[in-house]
Amino acid sequence: MIDLLNFHIIPGLVLGSIYALGAIGVSLVFGILRFANFAHGDTMTLGTYITYTFIHLTPLYGIVALPLALLIAVPAAMIATGLIVLIIDRLFYRPFRNSPVIIVVIASFGMMLMIRSSIEMIWGPQLKAMITGIQPPWFFFDTIRVLPKHVAILIAALVLMGIIHYLLSHTKIGKAMRAMADSPDLARVTGIDTERVVKATWMIGTALAVAAGVFLALDGQMKPLMGFSVLLAVFASAILGGIGRPYGAMAGGLVIGVAEELSTYPWIGDGPLLSPGYKAGVSFAIMVAMLIWRPNGLFKGKVF
Amino acid sequence: MEQLYGYFLYSLSLLTFGGIYAILCLGLNIQWGFTGLFNAGVAGFFAIGAYVSAILTAPESPRHLGGYDLPIPVGVFIAMVVCVPVAWAIGRVCIRLRSDYLAIATLGIAEIIRLVFKNELWATNGARGVSFVPKPFEAWDSPWDQIAMALVVLVIVALLYIAIELARTSPWGRLMAAIREDEPAALAAGKNVERFRLEAFVIGAVVMALGGAMMAHYIKFVDPKMAEPLKATFLVWVMLIAGGSGNNKGAILGAMLLWFIWSITETIAPIIIPDSFAHVVYPFHLVASWFLPEAWMATPIAPDPVTGLDSWDSKAPFLRVFLIGLALQIVLQKFSSGILPEQRLQSLADTDDASARAARSSPS
Amino acid sequence: MLKTVKQVMLAGSMLAVAMTAASADDIVVGSAAGITGPIAELVAPIVAGRELAAKHVNEQGGLLDGDTLVLAHADSQCDPTAGVDAGNKLVNIEQSVAIIGASCSGATNGMVQSVTIPAGVMSISDSATAPSITELDDNDLVFRVAASDAYQGVALAQLAINAGYTKLAMTFSNDDYNAGIASVFEQAFKDLGGEITGSQMHEPEKQSYRSELSTLSGGGAEGLALFAYYGSSGITIVRNSLENGLFGKFLAADGMFDTSVIEQIGADALRGNIMITQAASDDANVSYQAYAAAYGPAYESQGYAASAPYAAHGYDAAFLVALAIEKAGSTDRAAMSAALREVASGPGTVIRPGEWAKAKAAIAAGEDINYEGAVGNNDFDANGDVTGMFSVNTVGDGEGYTTDLIR
């Protein structure tokens, strides 16, 4: 039974918090700009590669330990990636603010191809490693085993979500964002500078995407398709939480992450409940079921 | 002369591929262009068409279900028939979802369909695919086999075009347009909106299955990679939007044009990127490499050590993908309603155009 | 309207430039590879191997009357649709004499069945290993220097038995390469008296495989037979297993053979714990040494190792095509496959990688030649397949792999 905790629930929570960070960005963009951003996964990848470059650029590289280098490099990469995304928004999304939704969805699809191919051109298709070697786990009560990097990822994700909560509920820009997500017309009438809100949305969404990407690279692989491979799970998380609802997205991510891992637990007999080949389908199945039976998400979400 | 003959054969393959994508685009046009159903699961219906027809017509194999050896037209027809209940069931539960929600649901369902084909080894040989799928007229001598294949696809496109145009101007088509433009009014007029939408969804899906089946017979091979969303769903969407959604000519033009760009850019990408560009970038990289660790740049932007060619050459495939993305952005910004915009039916054109479009575009 | 016409004309003229790029003195050989797509990281060193062979040919006198061998690259993306499109371009636009590739079995299956066999163009793949390619009705036009999965799976099973394993768990990535070799291994291992305690396929490109591995580890297996590409899921599985103490010993096929496995996991954790079979790479073989000596220094700066999976196959495939053209004495497509069979197997003067000038002289003198390639003797059987030879790689005392040929 302890295996359930060690190998299913804890990794599921780690995966889930990565999905959650990505899903908040998707959810915010959907809430404010009202389109499903297909380039979000590749934004994650871009942020990860920029972080990687910054780590190696840091004069302290090789002197400071990786966690410290990450603390310096990740925020820098968040800003750099955010600025790139702002330029992308200005050039490729802003012209379509008043166009049919499908146009900007297709534009984000084009952007996905452009970001990915740029990464392949600049950094190459070869695998990179953010972290090398094997980390022995920490033991608690002799039976519970947790990897130090998982503890770090979970804590960092919690801190980031706390910051987002503060931003959304206690700052002026956060309140403006929520107002705009609830009713764009009303927000405009009340004198909210919508373009400023849009900029803030991109910066926040991108910052979280960078964090999610770096966590992904710490826990698994770093390659040009890494972000795209989690994109659909991230969408599923955003839907599950009720799209446009950042808090829902957090919960949605955790649920999807844990559900994916639990689907392969041997609940009945010795074999996995579901062939691991179908693991990727779990998040889609949950997503479709939610859309059909509870389209508002786990929490009260918006139905656009 | 041989070179010219080569161009001729290549243009036949362009027409065949373009034609198959045109079939998919026409199917999507029924769903999106005429009815406003945001189906992002083209790949699912494509996969059903491709696999069913392939398994029914391929020779017996120990690796997968098969050995039925049916003639190709029968296989294609059954593939389309099989698609009806599947599309009906999907539509039944999803059709009332609006806009992006429908898109994300269908995207998820298409992925599940693909996973089923990938995991049910006994039926489909999984990731290793179904091979030896017969191709129409393959016994004929070159180039007649290829001409015949291209003609078959183009005739299907032409027939579909005529049929859909007829349907569009029929009372059924007018009702569809009315539902899309002003659903409350259609409801008020006592029309069963959901049923008509479901009809459009199923018909579109069957056309997509036809496209999938044609692809399987043309490639002579099916595997789950062919049904990945990038090439079987998103590319079709891009073609339709670029060509002009709601316009059947636009759908066909978009498919042909985009496939042409997709295919031909590979040959011209290394040529339109001047070598000198690499020489502009190279010095910067060289300077950077003096004080940066080598590790952070995978491939230096320097001439390839063996061929002496600029490494832009080896990066051309990535650059090509980048250019396709950029071309898409330009098309979207220059022709936001497609190269051939929709020609609205006279009876509907009377309503305020701008407000109708706004109503359609706004997600609420 | 006029503007559109102009644009069309501009596009047309660019096309014309593209199509006349190959001059009269160039002999074009098509090179289809999955340059972009899911195994891009594996394909880059293979394409480099092909380029190296072309360079050797061109530096040592070129083809026929001093013509240049030009490789025309097309991206088959590991996708049958793209494979057909790539094949069409190489056969019809580039007018390739023969085609090397494609990379993945699926793309190769599509390309050869739909394009190259009907067009009568010979193709020789350097990394497609699916058994279904053997069965093609191909008019002797489809060859490969990569051995069918049927051979490597058996070799690995035998190796496992010899190393004393009797109970193994196995997991394989659900793709055209790994699923194929896994099924052969499973059968062979059972036939040799071994027991498979659990077998699971997994979806590649996931971030964690801990749950799957935890289920598999329950059966009391002595080790894990792992069939995956190192980049898609292999490294993650090894790391998950070691970090959580689920499996300590690994057996793998050549999708896992890459130095990045050692770089990312660390040599200490793998020392004595991993065995990876690989087609070719017999360090003691003269032919392999000749190839490695040329490949290593040339591509060091790019980060490609001579031992990268199928890179040597890429070299051999390209070199064999060049030999076939030289032997045929013309660029006649129809003459290629017979000429290939003549140069690939004995009897005749032995030619090794890099020895183009020697081969050219021998052919000019009317002698028979026999190419002994970097990956083995490359003697094709009736189906155009090679038996291949395999080596086993372990992590020894150093920081890299120790390679031994399997006899």
Side-chain angles (χ1 to χ4, degrees):
Chain A
M1 220 33 208
I2 200 70
D3 282 355
L4 178 66
L5 182 65
N6 283 340
F7 303 125
H8 296 262
I9 293 179
I10 293 174
L13 284 174
V14 172
L15 193 60
S17 57
I18 292 170
Y19 289 166
L21 290 175
I24 296 171
V26 167
S27 213
L28 281 175
V29 169
F30 199 99
I32 308 283
L33 289 153
R34 293 190 153 54
F35 77 96
N37 180 15
F38 277 87
H40 201 74
D42 292 270
T43 310
M44 279 175 163
T45 318
L46 179 66
T48 313
Y49 275 84
I50 291 178
T51 307
Y52 179 79
T53 303
F54 281 173
I55 290 176
H56 287 268
L57 273 177
T58 315
L60 296 171
Y61 176 65
I63 301 167
V64 296
L66 182 74
L68 205 57
L70 279 177
L71 277 181
I72 304 165
V74 171
M78 283 175 173
I79 293 168
T81 317
L83 291 176
I84 293 171
V85 171
L86 283 186
I87 294 169
I88 290 172
D89 177 62
R90 178 67 195 82
L91 291 177
F92 298 113
Y93 300 149
R94 198 166 147 186
F96 303 120
R97 289 278 196 268
N98 296 315
S99 306
V101 180
I102 179 71
I103 302 285
V104 66
V105 170
I106 301 268
S108 79
F109 170 70
M111 210 56 239
M112 175 180 97
L113 295 182
M114 289 166 77
I115 296 176
R116 184 186 308 163
S117 52
S118 303
I119 292 169
E120 282 166 331
M121 277 191 282
I122 297 171
W123 286 281
Q126 245 58 20
L127 281 186
K128 303 241 178 279
M130 191 75 89
I131 185 169
T132 56
I134 295 295
Q135 261 192 335
W138 287 337
F139 282 86
F140 297 97
F141 313 112
D142 286 341
T143 47
I144 301 174
R145 46 167 85 205
V146 190
L147 292 173
K149 66 183 175 192
H150 284 175
V151 176
I153 290 172
L154 286 173
I155 291 175
L158 276 177
V159 169
L160 282 169
M161 288 179 200
I163 294 174
I164 293 303
H165 171 71
Y166 177 80
L167 270 177
L168 288 179
S169 57
H170 289 85
T171 62
K172 212 176 148 213
I173 189 76
K175 286 175 188 160
M177 281 167 73
R178 286 199 300 163
M180 206 168 144
D182 282 339
S183 166
D185 296 332
L186 199 63
R188 215 169 282 121
V189 173
T190 50
I192 290 174
D193 179 353
T194 52
E195 280 305 312
R196 226 183 115 235
V197 172
V198 167
K199 285 199 183 84
T201 308
W202 281 121
M203 287 304 281
I204 294 171
T206 307
L208 295 177
V210 173
V214 171
F215 295 160
L216 214 49
L218 285 176
D219 195 36
Q221 298 284 341
M222 187 171 157
K223 56 189 291 190
L225 283 173
M226 59 182 265
F228 182 69
S229 66
V230 297
L231 181 69
L232 288 176
V234 164
F235 274 1
S237 307
I239 300 268
L240 186 61
I243 205 154
R245 298 273 139 176
Y247 302 125
M250 293 179 198
L254 291 173
V255 171
I256 297 260
V258 174
E260 273 193 19
E261 297 296 314
L262 286 186
S263 70
T264 53
Y265 185 74
W267 296 103
I268 306 160
D270 290 334
L273 179 67
L274 192 66
S275 159
Y278 282 114
K279 203 170 157 187
V282 172
S283 52
F284 306 136
I286 295 177
M287 178 177 84
V288 173
M290 283 301 289
L291 281 171
I292 292 164
W293 285 293
R294 247 198 109 142
N296 292 2
L298 279 179
F299 305 94
K300 192 181 154 290
K302 293 177 69 72
V303 187
F304 292 112
Chain B
M1 196 55 216
E2 268 192 20
Q3 183 73 62
L4 274 181
Y5 181 59
Y7 294 155
F8 170 68
L9 291 181
Y10 174 65
S11 58
L12 286 178
S13 95
L14 278 182
L15 283 175
T16 315
F17 268 123
I20 292 170
Y21 272 104
I23 297 173
L24 296 173
C25 269
L26 286 171
L28 186 60
N29 205 17
I30 297 173
Q31 295 180 341
W32 168 252
F34 301 137
T35 325
L37 296 168
F38 196 161
N39 175 14
V42 181
F45 303 120
F46 173 91
I48 291 172
Y51 267 103
V52 171
S53 192
I55 287 173
L56 288 176
T57 55
E60 192 168 358
S61 158
R63 300 198 182 85
H64 55 77
L65 211 62
Y68 306 106
D69 275 321
L70 293 178
I72 296 171
V74 179
V76 174
F77 179 74
I78 297 178
M80 291 164 72
V81 171
V82 167
C83 206
V84 171
V86 179
W88 186 84
I90 294 172
R92 194 79 193 84
V93 289
C94 292
I95 210 93
R96 58 197 167 80
L97 299 172
R98 301 298 305 264
S99 187
D100 296 40
Y101 278 92
L102 179 63
I104 296 167
T106 45
L107 183 63
I109 291 170
E111 274 295 280
I112 293 173
I113 292 176
R114 189 174 71 85
L115 282 176
V116 170
F117 284 124
K118 200 174 168 185
N119 281 285
E120 297 308 318
L121 304 182
W122 57 276
T124 64
N125 198 22
R128 282 164 286 168
V130 177
S131 196
F132 307 108
V133 182
K135 183 177 177 180
F137 312 109
E138 61 187 328
W140 295 9
D141 283 336
S142 180
W144 302 109
D145 57 338
Q146 296 174 58
I147 294 175
M149 178 77 212
L151 278 180
V152 166
V153 171
L154 293 180
V155 165
I156 291 175
V157 171
L159 291 177
L160 276 176
Y161 172 79
I162 295 168
I164 298 171
E165 276 297 309
L166 284 176
R168 191 172 77 99
T169 44
S170 72
W172 186 83
R174 284 162 184 278
L175 185 64
M176 286 297 167
I179 290 172
R180 189 194 69 195
E181 304 276 332
D182 194 352
E183 190 182 327
L187 271 173
K191 301 294 177 193
N192 186 344
V193 170
E194 207 167 300
R195 207 194 88 210
F196 282 101
R197 282 199 165 149
L198 193 54
E199 281 172 11
F201 188 78
V202 172
I203 294 171
V206 168
V207 173
M208 289 166 190
L210 171 62
M214 293 315 292
M215 187 69 100
H217 290 292
Y218 181 51
I219 306 281
K220 287 178 64 63
F221 183 76
V222 194
D223 79 5
K225 284 226 169 65
M226 287 164 67
E228 279 183 0
L230 182 66
K231 297 249 311 263
T233 296
F234 299 144
L235 186 59
V236 180
W237 265 101
V238 169
M239 287 168 167
L240 181 64
I241 297 297
S245 70
N247 184 325
N248 285 321
K249 283 199 197 89
I252 297 170
L253 177 76
M256 292 285 183
L257 191 68
L258 262 285
W259 178 261
F260 180 71
I261 293 174
W262 187 270
S263 176
I264 201 71
T265 40
E266 183 160 70
T267 317
I268 50 179
I271 289 153
I272 53 178
I273 311 303
D275 285 354
S276 51
F277 189 60
H279 296 296
V280 174
V281 180
Y282 181 56
F284 292 101
H285 182 268
L286 193 67
V287 171
S289 69
W290 288 337
F291 54 90
L292 292 181
E294 189 73 12
W296 71 271
M297 271 202 123
T299 17
I301 305 172
D304 183 295
V306 166
T307 57
L309 294 170
D310 289 316
S311 64
W312 279 112
D313 231 41
S314 63
K315 290 182 175 176
F318 305 125
L319 194 61
R320 165 180 172 232
V321 177
F322 184 87
L323 289 177
I324 289 169
L326 190 64
L328 180 60
Q329 306 287 5
I330 292 167
V331 168
L332 283 177
Q333 301 209 359
K334 297 287 169 208
F335 308 93
S336 61
S337 44
I339 298 164
L340 295 177
E342 180 179 2
Q343 286 170 349
R344 291 155 50 77
L345 292 168
Q346 203 51 49
S347 58
L348 290 159
D350 304 336
T351 56
D352 180 4
D353 201 66
S355 76
R357 281 198 177 268
R360 188 177 150 205
S361 65
S362 117
S364 51
Chain C
M1 193 59 208
L2 196 64
K3 203 173 149 202
T4 321
V5 172
K6 263 190 192 159
Q7 283 166 344
V8 170
M9 283 174 64
L10 185 67
S13 61
M14 281 195 309
L15 202 60
V17 172
M19 288 164 175
T20 51
S23 73
D25 295 322
D26 288 346
I27 292 179
V28 180
V29 169
S31 160
I35 305 169
T36 64
I39 56 161
E41 75 273 12
L42 272 157
V43 168
I46 302 176
V47 174
R50 298 177 185 173
E51 286 284 2
L52 182 68
K55 182 199 170 208
H56 284 164
V57 169
N58 292 332
E59 274 178 357
Q60 301 178 29
L63 287 168
L64 305 177
D65 303 321
D67 296 338
T68 309
L69 171 61
V70 176
L71 291 182
H73 295 290
D75 187 3
S76 55
Q77 294 171 20
C78 227
D79 169 350
T81 322
V84 170
D85 186 41
N88 258 314
K89 279 181 278 198
L90 294 176
V91 167
N92 294 324
I93 293 194
E94 306 285 357
Q95 293 287 316
S96 308
V97 181
I99 288 178
I100 306 163
S103 299
C104 297
S105 299
T108 308
N109 250 320
M111 182 182 85
V112 300
Q113 290 193 68
S114 186
V115 187
T116 61
I117 297 175
V121 176
M122 181 189 81
S123 70
I124 174 165
S125 175
D126 45 13
S127 58
T129 56
S132 62
I133 293 175
T134 304
E135 297 156 17
L136 291 171
D137 181 15
D138 61 5
N139 304 325
D140 209 24
L141 287 168
V142 179
F143 294 85
R144 47 182 169 170
V145 290
S148 163
D149 293 333
Y151 300 108
Q152 192 180 171
V154 173
L156 183 62
Q158 186 63 54
L159 189 73
I161 294 288
N162 293 350
Y165 289 103
T166 51
K167 290 168 86 177
L168 286 173
M170 65 180 263
T171 181
F172 58 94
S173 165
N174 195 4
D175 59 56
D176 53 357
Y177 169 69
N178 290 299
I181 194 163
S183 69
V184 174
F185 171 83
E186 184 171 12
Q187 193 56 48
F189 189 66
K190 283 178 184 163
D191 290 348
L192 289 167
E195 185 194 340
I196 300 285
T197 60
S199 168
Q200 277 184 18
M201 73 170 125
H202 63 261
E203 184 69 14
E205 309 287 348
K206 299 297 287 180
Q207 288 305 313
S208 156
Y209 294 97
R210 294 178 185 90
S211 52
E212 288 93 327
L213 291 167
S214 144
T215 320
L216 277 176
S217 70
E222 295 150 354
L224 179 69
L226 167 59
F227 301 93
Y229 292 121
Y230 63 91
S232 307
S233 57
I235 292 177
T236 311
I237 287 176
V238 171
R239 173 175 284 155
N240 287 170
S241 302
L242 288 173
E243 284 181 346
N244 295 296
L246 294 170
F247 288 99
K249 306 263 181 196
F250 304 94
L251 291 119
D254 52 10
M256 274 299 283
F257 182 73
D258 192 82
T259 45
S260 62
V261 177
I262 298 183
E263 281 161 27
Q264 297 210 7
I265 303 289
D268 291 337
L270 295 172
R271 192 157 291 134
N273 291 334
I274 192 164
M275 292 197 291
I276 306 173
T277 50
Q278 192 205 0
S281 274
D282 173 12
D283 286 352
N285 182 298
V286 189
S287 285
Y288 181 76
Q289 285 169 349
Y291 148 81
Y295 190 101
Y299 284 105
E300 221 166 21
S301 64
Q302 307 263 40
Y304 308 156
S307 60
Y310 296 108
H313 294 78
Y315 183 93
D316 278 0
F319 206 85
L320 277 167
V321 168
L323 285 173
I325 294 172
E326 192 72 26
K327 179 78 186 178
S330 73
T331 55
D332 180 14
R333 286 170 171 176
M336 285 306 130
S337 98
L340 180 69
R341 283 193 179 276
E342 281 179 41
V343 296
S345 25
T349 314
V350 171
I351 301 296
R352 298 189 187 280
E355 297 183 332
W356 179 255
K358 184 177 164 192
K360 199 172 163 69
I363 291 171
E367 292 173 37
D368 278 338
I369 59 165
N370 174 21
Y371 180 63
E372 293 287 322
V375 295
N377 58 20
N378 286 315
D379 293 346
F380 297 106
D381 65 13
N383 295 315
D385 284 355
V386 293
T387 342
M389 76 184 177
F390 298 97
S391 60
V392 56
N393 299 275
T394 47
V395 180
D397 297 334
E399 292 298 306
Y401 289 107
T402 311
T403 307
D404 299 293
L405 196 65
I406 301 175
R407 297 285 173 196

